[in-house]
Amino acid sequence: MIPKNSQTPPEPSQNPGNSGNSKTPGPTHTEGAAKDRKQGRRGNSRVPQGPSPERLRVLRHHLHLRSRGWLQDPAGNWVKDGNAEFDSDEEEPPPLPPA
């Protein structure tokens, strides 16, 4: 009679990191490193918020001026683009509309 344990292959371990078990591969070193990096940032992460309504109003006004041919100089002043057409009475950029 042949002993039972000498002919049968070893049973797979329940350890998912067992490299001998081809059916259930274990985590690689890079996966573990990625988890560590994610956990380190979790405490400092914030949910990104959209811009405030006031900021949106200012941005829309800025885009409106740009589309009408106004440019900002390095000091932040609005000046006419030399390549854009303006009405003859348009000397100043339109003001920011009230909220």
Side-chain angles (χ1 to χ4, degrees):
M1 181 161 188
I2 301 173
K4 213 177 199 185
N5 61 2
S6 66
Q7 293 286 325
T8 58
E11 291 201 20
S13 169
Q14 295 300 323
N15 182 1
N18 184 1
S19 61
N21 185 355
S22 62
K23 291 183 182 178
T24 56
T28 63
H29 179 68
T30 56
E31 289 175 10
K35 283 184 181 179
D36 291 342
R37 283 192 301 261
K38 286 180 185 175
Q39 288 174 352
R41 289 189 215 150
R42 187 177 303 161
N44 296 335
S45 66
R46 295 187 326 161
V47 175
Q49 303 270 330
S52 68
E54 175 63 19
R55 177 81 175 138
L56 284 174
R57 189 170 71 89
V58 171
L59 289 173
R60 284 189 183 116
H61 181 66
H62 180 90
L63 289 174
H64 175 73
L65 292 176
R66 292 290 306 256
S67 67
R68 301 274 313 258
W70 293 92
L71 300 174
Q72 271 190 311
D73 64 7
N77 301 317
W78 290 100
V79 295
K80 289 183 179 182
D81 182 357
N83 297 325
E85 291 186 29
F86 288 90
D87 292 339
S88 60
D89 62 344
E90 194 171 3
E91 293 298 321
E92 292 290 320
L96 181 66

